[in-house]
Amino acid sequence: MKPQVAFFDFTSCEGCQLNKLNFENDLLDILKHVDLVEFREAMDDKADAYDIAFIEGSISTPGCVERIHDIRRRTKILVALGSCAVNGGVNAMKNLHPIDEVRETVYGADKYLFSTLPAMPVSSVVKVDYEVRGCPMTQQDFLKLLVALVMGKEPPKYGSPVCLECKLNENECLYNRGMVCLGPITRGGCDAVCPGFGQFCTGCRGILDNPNLDGMLDLMTSHGISLDEAKKRMLLYNSNEVQL
Amino acid sequence: MSRDLNIKVHHLTRVEGHGNIVVNMKDGVLEKAHLSIVEPPRFFEAMMKGRSFHEAAIITSRICGICSLGHQLTSLVATEDALGLEISEQTVLLRKLLIHGATLQSNILHAYFLAAPDFLNVGSVFPLIATHKDVVLRALRMKRLANDIGDIVSGRAVHPITPVPGGFTRIPEKAELLEIKRRLLEEALPDGIETIETMKALAGAIPQFERETEYISLKHADEYAMYEGGIYSSDTGILPVSEYLNVTNEFIVPHATSKHAKFNRNSYFVGALARWNNNHSQLGEEALGAAEAMGLKPNCYNPYMNTIAQVVEAVHCILDSVRIIDKLVDNGLKNEKPNQTPTRYGRGIGANEVPRGILFHDYTYDNKGNIVAANCIIPTGQNLANIDDDMVKLVPEIMDKTKAEITLNLEMLVRAYDPCISCSVHMLDVDFIE
């Protein structure tokens, strides 16, 4: 029997889901191997139970907490998709500011009308079995995981930095071009796509295990930005992972 | 007819983000009809505080995956305005090409995958793979080409990489652009013509509902405005972008985490239908021919026809992209570096037409190039009051239908706006209450 697959979105831009709708060349082939039973962005159907639930987005309201517990109870395997779900992503930047100030900036005097919590990774509320990192997650990375799960194998893990993949691609180092890049401490698996297109790494796949954060800050500040600015850059995607 | 009706559609499907439709009628008197926006608040304006101008567009593109290119470019225009960064003609042309790619992708996705299933009595595009495989493959082909424009020119169609303040980190090669041109003419144009035939067949099933409202879009002196121009209201004419706050007048309602907007009336319409009503005379004859074939006439007051206006724009995007590529190649592609040396620090405003309507970004920078204040006003947010007003007029007009038919009509209405709720909250469920 084909595995029953469902997609759910929480606090996010839905860009990772959109990337799945963008499998123009492979979509029909993928659907031969899985039963898509729930995917609100593209279809009306709803299901009671699933083999694999893919979760996009952070947990950031009391309603989100209730929904993710319900999904966890219905699914055998739960996968966090994209940086919002894996570590809070850009949503977690709001955790760096006092919550009342954040609410007042956007909703003014009506700040108490809408409830909010700190932006949390899915794993802080329920057990996450697998993750696909990135902002957005790449289609290739998602497919590798899906193929592994459908075949009953263990999906690939990435332990080396973006910097290594960048060097293997023989890109010119962006530090030589006057940019400040998080490639040395960021988890790879993206094929160094941003540096490959001439743009600095923003750290969207999360920080490596055992990173040399002080060394990273030294490197950044020795290339012309203040310590304060260097810390902010490091926190862009990793406010929930790094304590500075 | 004295009727009690209670409709509640929770987490409306085939739209981007989370919203509910709520309709409550007692003894034939409509007590409540609105789109409730339940998307968790994102707080982007608060997160932007203190961030460098190098990061602003990277962060704001994450407001929405579907509209990431639109947010990114509008953010760049605002930053360049605030910091006095001049950009080249080549940068403007490449940005216009990217907007056409993103608009083509989004309009085709909405027309085929999100809206069309309602006309064929199916819940999604997936059953159509068995019954209408050639149509699904055509839609996928058009989407792929549109996304390839994004991948080639901006590095990645979802959350683009290369567009930065002052220009691009990588300039596409001539051969890459010429290959896109070949596919636009040999694949996308015939697919576009077939799309008109498909949509013509569906257009007969579009609900007959009209409500004349205020239509707001950009207007440009020389072209069908997508990138830059002045703000045009069908009621009161043109205003400079610097006066956008006098147009949007955002206000908070308890039933939506995204803010509503109004200008000269209780509500206004933004998006493809507003652009069509305001700027149709600037379209080429092929796009105008497509509109005529599908029954879209100038000054159309039927919001369900927004989807048809999107298909007309798809034809425009295909042909205008060819024109832009010709111009880029004729001018000779130059390997320009982005101009990132600020000549001033202060406030800047960007306004562009993105698939769902007019988008504003407004930033103020301190003298280190860090953001002090940010404001983003999103097309779907601007449409919410108009959707509520449509529902209030529509529900009494279709009271003799069954509850299921009324619900479908309301869902189709909301989908016709192609709402993007993540965007608007930086919103959708249908609740009928009985």
Side-chain angles (χ1 to χ4, degrees), chain A residues 90 93-94 97 101-108, chain B residues 41-51 56 59-60 63 71 244-245 250 257-259 359-364 371-378 422-426:
Chain A
V90 294
M93 270 192 289
K94 78 168 188 183
H97 301 274
E101 181 191 309
V102 167
R103 295 169 87 167
E104 202 168 311
T105 299
V106 176
Y107 294 111
Chain B
R42 310 280 304 279
F43 301 105
F44 269 89
E45 284 96 339
M47 298 188 307
M48 297 284 285
K49 277 189 187 171
R51 311 301 308 201
I59 297 170
T60 49
I63 291 174
H71 281 294
Y244 83 97
L245 286 172
E250 282 191 313
T257 50
S258 48
K259 296 171 187 173
L359 168 67
F360 302 99
H361 282 221
D362 172 359
Y363 307 143
T364 304
I371 287 180
V372 183
N375 189 20
C376 306
I377 298 190
I378 311 294
S422 291
C423 260
S424 72
V425 186
H426 26 204

Side-chain angles (χ1 to χ4, degrees), chain B residues 217-221 229-234 236-241 243:
Chain B
S217 70
L218 282 180
K219 196 178 234 347
H220 192 286
I231 307 170
Y232 184 83
S233 152
S234 57
T236 50
I238 200 144
L239 281 170
V241 165
E243 290 187 38

Side-chain angles (χ1 to χ4, degrees), chain A residues 8-16 18-19 21-25 27-28 31 36 39-46 58 60-61 64 67 84 90-97 99 101-111 113-117 135-136 138-139 177 179 193-200 202 204 228-229 231-237 239, chain B residues 10-18 37 39-47 49-52 54-55 58-59 61-67 105 109 113-114 118 122-126 129 133 136-137 139-141 143-144 147 151-152 154-159 161-164 169-170 252-259 337 340 370 411 415 422 425-426 428:
Chain A
F8 301 93
D9 44 77
F10 287 78
T11 307
S12 69
C13 78
E14 301 190 17
C16 292
L18 182 66
N19 255 340
L21 285 175
N22 287 346
F23 277 124
E24 290 90 353
N25 297 330
L27 185 64
L28 272 52
L31 291 173
L36 197 47
F39 184 3
R40 190 200 46 78
E41 194 174 16
M43 58 196 280
D44 291 349
D45 304 341
K46 294 189 193 313
S58 310
S60 79
T61 66
C64 292
R67 251 182 90 217
C84 292
V90 294
N91 294 318
M93 270 192 289
K94 78 168 188 183
N95 304 351
L96 300 170
H97 301 274
I99 195 68
E101 181 191 309
V102 167
R103 295 169 87 167
E104 202 168 311
T105 299
V106 176
Y107 294 111
D110 296 309
K111 62 182 175 179
L113 212 48
F114 309 110
S115 54
T116 184
L117 299 168
C135 179
T138 68
Q139 296 181 4
R177 292 167 60 178
M179 287 176 151
V193 60
C194 292
F197 277 98
Q199 174 67 312
F200 55 83
T202 55
C204 78
D228 184 46
E229 179 64 26
K231 288 179 176 173
K232 276 193 302 192
R233 295 277 181 107
M234 210 183 269
L235 291 173
L236 178 59
Y237 276 95
S239 310
Chain B
H10 181 76
H11 285 184
L12 179 63
T13 58
R14 282 183 281 128
V15 295
E16 197 287 342
H18 299 94
I37 303 304
E39 183 81 9
R42 310 280 304 279
F43 301 105
F44 269 89
E45 284 96 339
M47 298 188 307
K49 277 189 187 171
R51 311 301 308 201
S52 154
H54 292 286
E55 294 174 314
I58 296 172
I59 297 170
S61 96
R62 270 69 186 179
I63 291 174
C64 174
I66 297 188
C67 317
Q105 197 287 134
L109 173 73
F113 287 11
L114 308 182
D118 284 327
V122 290
S124 77
V125 72
F126 300 114
I129 294 169
K133 190 167 181 177
V136 174
L137 287 175
L140 289 169
R141 223 168 24 239
K143 255 171 56 59
R144 185 65 260 159
N147 279 325
D151 286 348
I152 288 163
S154 68
R156 187 165 60 194
V158 178
H159 300 318
I161 296 168
T162 65
V164 294
T169 59
R170 177 188 179 269
I252 291 171
V253 294
H255 67 268
T257 50
S258 48
K259 296 171 187 173
K337 298 284 172 243
Q340 301 196 324
N370 293 329
E411 291 187 353
R415 284 192 195 110
S422 291
V425 186
H426 26 204
L428 194 90

Side-chain angles (χ1 to χ4, degrees), chain B residues 34-284:
Chain B
H34 65 233
L35 180 60
S36 164
I37 303 304
V38 294
E39 183 81 9
R42 310 280 304 279
F43 301 105
F44 269 89
E45 284 96 339
M47 298 188 307
M48 297 284 285
K49 277 189 187 171
R51 311 301 308 201
S52 154
F53 74 91
H54 292 286
E55 294 174 314
I58 296 172
I59 297 170
T60 49
S61 96
R62 270 69 186 179
I63 291 174
C64 174
I66 297 188
C67 317
S68 55
L69 186 270
H71 281 294
Q72 188 157 29
L73 293 190
T74 308
S75 175
L76 294 177
V77 173
T79 293
E80 287 156 0
D81 183 31
L83 304 182
L85 304 173
E86 296 288 332
I87 58 169
S88 69
E89 184 194 6
Q90 177 173 286
T91 293
V92 172
L93 286 170
L94 286 169
R95 287 182 182 177
K96 287 180 175 174
L97 179 59
L98 283 172
I99 288 189
H100 282 335
T103 305
L104 178 61
Q105 197 287 134
S106 183
N107 287 8
I108 291 296
L109 173 73
H110 178 250
Y112 277 101
F113 287 11
L114 308 182
D118 284 327
F119 296 95
L120 299 165
N121 296 314
V122 290
S124 77
V125 72
F126 300 114
L128 301 178
I129 294 169
T131 57
H132 298 76
K133 190 167 181 177
D134 57 326
V135 177
V136 174
L137 287 175
R138 184 202 306 147
L140 289 169
R141 223 168 24 239
M142 294 177 81
K143 255 171 56 59
R144 185 65 260 159
L145 174 54
N147 279 325
D148 282 347
I149 295 176
D151 286 348
I152 288 163
V153 179
S154 68
R156 187 165 60 194
V158 178
H159 300 318
I161 296 168
T162 65
V164 294
F168 285 83
T169 59
R170 177 188 179 269
I171 307 296
E173 286 168 14
K174 182 180 166 184
E176 293 175 318
L177 292 179
L178 289 176
E179 173 62 9
I180 293 175
K181 177 186 168 181
R182 184 194 66 75
R183 289 172 62 199
L184 283 164
L185 290 173
E186 290 176 17
E187 296 170 18
L189 195 55
D191 282 343
I193 290 164
E194 289 290 317
T195 300
I196 295 163
E197 292 302 312
T198 302
M199 293 298 156
K200 233 161 76 177
L202 302 183
I206 285 180
Q208 297 302 305
F209 167 74
E210 286 195 337
R211 190 178 69 83
E212 193 248 350
T213 182
E214 183 176 6
Y215 297 90
I216 292 181
S217 70
L218 282 180
K219 196 178 234 347
H220 192 286
D222 307 321
E223 60 192 25
Y224 188 82
M226 295 299 286
Y227 181 81
E228 297 190 314
I231 307 170
Y232 184 83
S233 152
S234 57
D235 282 359
T236 50
I238 200 144
L239 281 170
V241 165
S242 58
E243 290 187 38
Y244 83 97
L245 286 172
N246 295 329
V247 174
T248 55
N249 301 298
E250 282 191 313
F251 58 104
I252 291 171
V253 294
H255 67 268
T257 50
S258 48
K259 296 171 187 173
H260 285 40
K262 62 179 171 186
F263 185 28
N264 294 300
R265 309 187 190 192
N266 195 43
S267 58
Y268 63 83
F269 193 119
V270 299
L273 191 65
R275 293 190 289 260
W276 162 260
N277 280 344
N278 289 346
N279 298 323
H280 58 87
S281 64
Q282 290 168 302
L283 288 168

